[in-house]
Each structure stands twice: as C-alpha cells, then as structure tokens.
Amino acid sequence: MTAVETKDAAQSLRDVAERSNAWPFEEARKIIARLEKKPKDEVIFETGYGPSGLPHIGTFGEVARTTMVRHAFRVITGDRIRTRLIAFSDDMDGLRKVPDNIPEKEMVAGYLGKPLTRVPDPFGTHPSFGEHNNARLRAFLDAFGFDYEFMSATDCYSSGRFDAALRVVLERFDEVMTIMLPSLREERAQTYSPFLPVCPRTGIVLQVPIVARDVAAGTISYDDPQTGERMTTPVTGGRCKLQWKPDWAMRWLALGVDYEMAGKDLIDSVKLSAAICRALGGTPPEGFNYELFLDEHGQKISKSKGNGLTIEEWLRYASPESLSLFMYREPKAAKRLFFDVIPRHVDEYQQFLEAYPRQDERQRLANPAWHIHAGAPPAADVPISFTLLLNLVSASNAQDADTLWGFIGRYRPGATPQTHPKLHQLVDYAIHYFRDFVLPAKRFRHPSDPERAALIDLRDALSQLPDDAKPEKIQEVVYEVGRREPFLDTSGKSKAKDGKPGVSLDWFNLLYQVLLGQEKGPRFGSFVAIYGLKNTIDMIDGALARSA
C-alpha cells in the first residue's frame, strides 16, 4: 500500500469511527468534546483499584473497557494527541475488615486500621498485603498486554506528588465540607474531616475531628483518641491521607485525569467527587457508570467475599479474549459472572473472529473483536467450537489432550497442536472445564418406551451411514428419525426447507440427557462426525443397556 493509500485508509477509518454507534466510540467522542472546550496535548485515562481484597474480574473489566475507549479515541483523533492510562491503587487505605478468602486471618486482624501497605502479606510473598494484591493485579494486566502505568497511593502521598493538591484541599477545606456534610448521617457529620492523619505512634489511619488547621503552614491539629494529646501534623508527605471521595477528587486534580468510569453503585460518589473537584479548581473527568456483575445467586460480586469468579479461574477455563468479550458487551446491563457463562463467550468470540473478514468497515467497527484486538483481530483458526469439544470430552470421558486430538484429527485431517495452537489451548480449557463442572453435574436419565424405540431407530440409521459421512448428512438422519410422536413440532415453527414437519427440542433434549447426561449439547450431526459413528452407536447401546 502506498503512502497515499495508507493515508486515505486512515481517513476512511476515522470517518466511519466518528459515526459508529459502538459504545467505545460514543465515549471517545465525549472526550473530544471536552478537549474542544479546554484543549490539552495529553489525555489521561484512569482506572482505580481498592486492594483490600484479591483482584477480581470486575477490576480487569474496568481496565479492559477503558483501554477500548482509549483506542477508539486514538482512532478518531488519528493519534495526534498523546494518551496515558493510569492504573491507580488505593493501597494507603486503612484495612477496615479482614477479607474472608485469605490465610492468616488472625495475624491480619492485628493490623486493622493501618494502611494496606503496612499490613504484612498473609501469603508471605511480598512485604505487605497491599503490595501482594497490587502484584496480583499487575501480573494479569501485564499478561494480557495492557499499556498502562501503575501508580500507588502510598507512593504518591509519601513522595510528595500529591502535596500541591493536598494544600489546595486544606485551603478550600470549608468548600469541601459544605459539599460533603449534607451527604452524611448527623452523627457522622459531627466528627467528619476530609483529612485522615496517620498516627505517628500506632501507624493507624485515624478518623478523628480536626480541631485546628493552618493553611500557611500546611498543617492540621487533632486530639489523639487514646492519649488525648493535641497533635499537629503536615497534610503533606504521606502524614495524612484523604477520605475517599475528597481523595478521588484530589487525584483527578493532581494527575489531570480526563476519563474514568465507575460502577453503578458509585453514582452518588462520582457526583460528590465531581463537585469537590470543581471546588478545588479542577474539571472532573468524563466517563460513565457501568452495571455491576452478579454471582450465580444474583448478588453483587465482592473482592472481600470472594464470590463470583477470580481472574485466575476464568483463565483456567477460557482465553483472555473471551473474557474481554464479556466485558465489551452491554456494559450498562447487569450480568451474571459465573462459570456457566464461559462456554458461550468462548464460542461467540470465535464467531466474531470468523465474521470479521466478511464485513465492511462500518460492520467491523461494531464487531467486538475489533475492540478486543485494538483494530487488528487475528485470523480465525479454531475449526471446532468449545461447546463441541466439551461434549466430545463428556462423551469420551477423555482425561488427556491426546485422546481429544485423536478425534479432532479424524474430523479435521492434518490438524495438530502445532498447526492449530489456539485449538490446542481450547482443548486444555475444555478438559479443565469438564473435570470441574460438567463431570460432577452429569445425570443420565432413563428413556421412556417411545424414547427407547427412537434411540434404537437412530442407532440403526447411523449404522447404515459410511464412516466418512458429513455432519450435514448425519444431521439429516437425526432429524428424520425424530419426525415421530412425541417429537413432531406441530407448531410449524421448525418446518424443514423441503416442507417436511419440524422436530421439537424434546428430541434433542432426549439425546443430551440420555446419552450425555446433561441438559444442553452441540449440533448433534457435528458431534457424531467428530466423535465417530461407531463410538456414537456404542454410546447409544450403552445408554439402552443402562436403562434396560
């Protein structure tokens, strides 16, 4: 491609991006409108992390989504404006309670109230609990290849990076209090202060009233809650930290943050922090409030409770790209984040990859794969769906990858772990998922007499097919055998193209429940083609023998 052609292609991409309804582009246009009002030569994106518990997928989701908005902004602006993404850890927060899902709980309980970076690491791998959880977050972000800068609240406070902004908060103390007090309960309002001094005697982050302040000296005074001694301390140098809503606002000011999203549960907090940021002379960032993730019981997932999925758990069963797809889709809709959502997202990610080469530019910018891969999705190279692999493992009780590759080689001659590395990964994911979730839940039901007769007929019909029968031909046979009572679809909704009666889902549910011991399954013709006609016939005979 010539330089002129490259320039024209980039301009065409920008033109389409400016009109795209994909949500990352909608968010990017908000930042562009912000710059039109107040130009600057660098745009700062930020995500926040509270390391009081182990990192969970919600934390990753915020970074992934923000990265998608950042890339959309770069496309629309032609990369003319520098961008940075800061992953900020609130690791100077005082430990309020001991998380449920950590070892050495009694030891950690002795450090309640102290900054997380002064609490020993219960896992024994880092100097502090805060640093351990920071490392867990960074390890995943690095593995995924995110372009970000990690910042620690402890480092920013103690190094003096926040000193100038902290002095502004002290100077405008009354304005901050005017914003905060109406949001507090009466009892809390009587003792509230935006500044939390770190006790030089105990190291605890104190929630105490401020009895005096000296703007010129940059100090506040308070009474030690245990000794009653009047203490005066600078607000700078890490000797104080801010309550989190003023802290959020101060950080936006100090770092010049232009974009940060937050969960729906923080809507009121965002509003208060935005008001404080304005009172400090700053402009609050653009962003939106995403919906919360729910566990299998419909409850909000929590780092401290450890419900829902961890990053490591998802990656045991599926690729990072499938997780990014989960994050991309409907960010403003509440979604269950549990193990049973994984197979669908693995397969749908692959479907988006397969569709990409056939799409025009407008469709491509609406394809999640474009956003997941920053505009350069790889070629689709997985010829077998995850769902099909899971059912293959289930039918064969395969406990190792070699067994599965034996079936795959029959279905896709020449396919090996070396020629199809992504499929190789998918095989390992399928085995893990089967062992942990499918196998414990397998429940084979016995067929009724009419169902037994249908299964016998299916076995006999399959035995008449050649060994190399195509999936489509096998599926025709499966449909033909199912065209009988009680499996006929009398509604007419599933009538075949040749005008023959359709087959209800009851026929396929029978096959899944009696043969595979599960409620759902793959397209049966494709499954038989990869599993093998003889193996399938033996499986039917086994099911009939179990129920005899």
Side-chain angles (χ1 to χ4, degrees):
M1 186 179 290
T2 66
V4 173
E5 289 173 330
T6 300
K7 183 177 180 180
D8 289 345
Q11 183 59 53
S12 174
L13 181 65
R14 288 196 294 271
D15 291 342
V16 175
E18 288 173 354
R19 300 189 299 272
S20 175
N21 292 327
W23 69 263
F25 287 116
E26 292 178 344
E27 292 301 298
R29 288 193 287 269
K30 288 160 56 174
I31 304 171
I32 292 170
R34 172 190 181 91
L35 295 180
E36 290 173 352
K37 298 176 183 177
K38 191 174 181 180
K40 56 187 298 194
D41 57 8
E42 181 180 66
V43 170
I44 305 298
F45 295 80
E46 184 185 50
T47 65
Y49 169 54
S52 58
L54 304 182
H56 64 67
I57 288 178
T59 310
F60 162 73
E62 200 168 293
V63 180
R65 287 168 171 166
T66 304
T67 296
M68 293 174 188
V69 176
R70 180 188 182 189
H71 178 251
F73 173 82
R74 293 178 60 187
V75 169
I76 293 179
T77 59
D79 236 356
R80 293 187 302 273
I81 301 173
R82 184 185 176 210
T83 63
R84 294 164 55 207
L85 170 57
I86 295 172
F88 192 93
S89 172
D90 289 306
D91 57 12
M92 198 172 164
D93 287 353
L95 181 66
R96 293 188 295 274
K97 65 178 182 178
V98 179
D100 297 331
N101 56 346
I102 64 169
E104 304 290 346
K105 293 186 180 65
E106 291 185 5
M107 181 275 289
V108 171
Y111 292 84
L112 288 174
K114 294 189 178 183
L116 293 163
T117 44
R118 295 188 185 180
V119 178
D121 178 15
F123 296 90
T125 61
H126 291 79
S128 72
F129 187 35
E131 289 169 278
H132 172 91
N133 287 340
N134 288 342
R136 292 281 295 272
L137 173 72
R138 295 171 70 178
F140 180 76
L141 299 182
D142 291 343
F144 194 82
F146 285 118
D147 176 24
Y148 71 99
E149 300 172 36
F150 179 80
M151 284 192 186
S152 155
T154 300
D155 292 343
C156 288
Y157 272 99
S158 60
S159 69
R161 184 167 193 158
F162 284 166
D163 282 0
L166 289 167
R167 283 182 170 275
V168 174
V169 177
L170 182 61
E171 177 187 335
R172 304 188 184 182
F173 187 96
D174 291 334
E175 291 96 319
V176 174
M177 292 290 284
T178 298
I179 294 167
M180 285 301 305
L181 290 180
S183 70
L184 304 173
R185 297 189 305 273
E186 182 178 352
E187 181 180 357
R188 174 85 169 115
Q190 291 175 357
T191 61
Y192 179 84
S193 164
F195 287 98
L196 302 174
V198 179
C199 179
R201 182 173 50 83
T202 65
I204 290 175
V205 179
L206 298 174
Q207 301 251 4
V208 292
I210 301 304
V211 296
R213 60 187 189 276
D214 186 330
V215 174
T219 62
I220 56 172
S221 299
Y222 65 94
D223 294 331
D224 187 301
Q226 292 184 347
T227 67
E229 180 183 0
R230 178 65 51 89
M231 304 292 294
T232 298
T233 184
V235 299
T236 54
R239 298 175 181 85
C240 290
K241 76 172 299 293
L242 295 179
Q243 298 271 10
W244 82 271
K245 294 182 184 72
D247 181 273
W248 208 2
M250 179 276 298
R251 188 197 314 163
W252 290 339
L253 175 69
L255 301 180
V257 177
D258 297 290
Y259 187 88
E260 181 166 5
M261 57 180 68
K264 185 180 179 181
D265 56 336
L266 298 181
I267 289 177
D268 290 340
S269 300
V270 170
K271 292 177 180 177
L272 284 171
S273 296
I276 294 171
C277 185
R278 294 186 189 96
L280 300 179
T283 302
E286 307 301 318
F288 76 89
N289 295 103
Y290 54 81
E291 260 290 2
L292 306 179
F293 298 128
L294 310 176
D295 65 14
E296 60 178 329
H297 305 296
Q299 301 297 311
K300 174 192 170 186
I301 66 169
S302 162
K303 291 189 297 293
S304 59
K305 290 181 180 178
N307 59 337
L309 283 172
T310 66
I311 291 169
E312 291 83 0
E313 284 171 333
W314 186 291
L315 293 182
R316 174 172 167 79
Y317 307 113
S319 66
E321 292 83 4
S322 65
L323 176 56
S324 288
L325 174 61
F326 181 88
M327 297 304 170
Y328 175 85
R329 306 178 86 173
E330 300 177 322
K332 294 188 177 182
K335 295 184 290 187
R336 291 178 67 251
L337 179 54
F338 205 64
F339 297 103
D340 57 1
V341 308
I342 291 177
R344 177 168 64 89
H345 283 85
V346 173
D347 283 340
E348 291 184 354
Y349 164 72
Q350 187 62 28
Q351 291 164 12
F352 284 121
L353 276 188
E354 292 170 354
Y356 187 80
R358 304 189 299 269
Q359 294 176 324
D360 61 27
E361 202 163 54
R362 179 186 61 81
Q363 293 169 324
R364 287 182 173 185
L365 296 196
N367 185 326
W370 189 92
H371 297 274
I372 292 169
H373 293 284
D381 190 32
V382 179
I384 299 171
S385 72
F386 189 58
T387 302
L388 185 54
L389 279 177
L390 282 177
N391 285 281
L392 185 60
V393 179
S394 182
S396 63
N397 287 309
Q399 296 297 312
D400 60 78
D402 290 342
T403 301
L404 275 183
W405 276 101
F407 293 117
I408 294 169
R410 178 195 298 125
Y411 186 66
R412 285 287 187 269
T416 68
Q418 291 72 38
T419 61
H420 290 72
K422 288 293 185 182
L423 181 56
H424 182 48
Q425 292 177 343
L426 206 62
V427 165
D428 289 339
Y429 292 143
I431 292 173
H432 291 157
Y433 195 91
F434 169 74
R435 287 174 179 168
D436 293 350
F437 301 110
V438 178
L439 184 59
K442 285 172 81 73
R443 299 290 185 273
F444 294 95
R445 75 169 177 85
H446 294 325
S448 64
D449 288 342
E451 290 173 338
R452 283 183 64 85
L455 287 173
I456 292 171
D457 286 349
L458 177 60
R459 177 197 63 191
D460 293 344
L462 293 177
S463 68
Q464 301 302 311
L465 293 174
D467 290 341
D468 60 351
K470 299 297 183 184
E472 295 76 14
K473 179 60 179 177
I474 298 171
Q475 191 74 5
E476 288 177 15
V477 170
V478 174
Y479 267 100
E480 193 60 42
V481 174
R483 289 191 175 99
R484 62 170 70 195
E485 293 293 346
F487 307 119
L488 280 177
D489 181 6
T490 57
S491 69
K493 294 181 180 179
S494 59
K495 183 179 291 187
K497 293 180 180 179
D498 58 7
K500 291 183 179 179
V503 180
S504 73
L505 289 177
D506 292 341
W507 169 231
F508 297 99
N509 290 338
L510 158 69
L511 299 179
Y512 305 143
Q513 294 165 8
V514 173
L515 301 182
L516 299 177
Q518 57 200 52
E519 292 299 316
K520 298 178 181 179
R523 183 174 173 84
F524 205 72
S526 298
F527 167 74
V528 174
I530 187 171
Y531 188 47
L533 285 164
K534 184 180 184 303
N535 290 330
T536 304
I537 291 168
D538 290 344
M539 182 172 60
I540 295 173
D541 284 338
L544 294 171
R546 278 197 308 268
S547 59

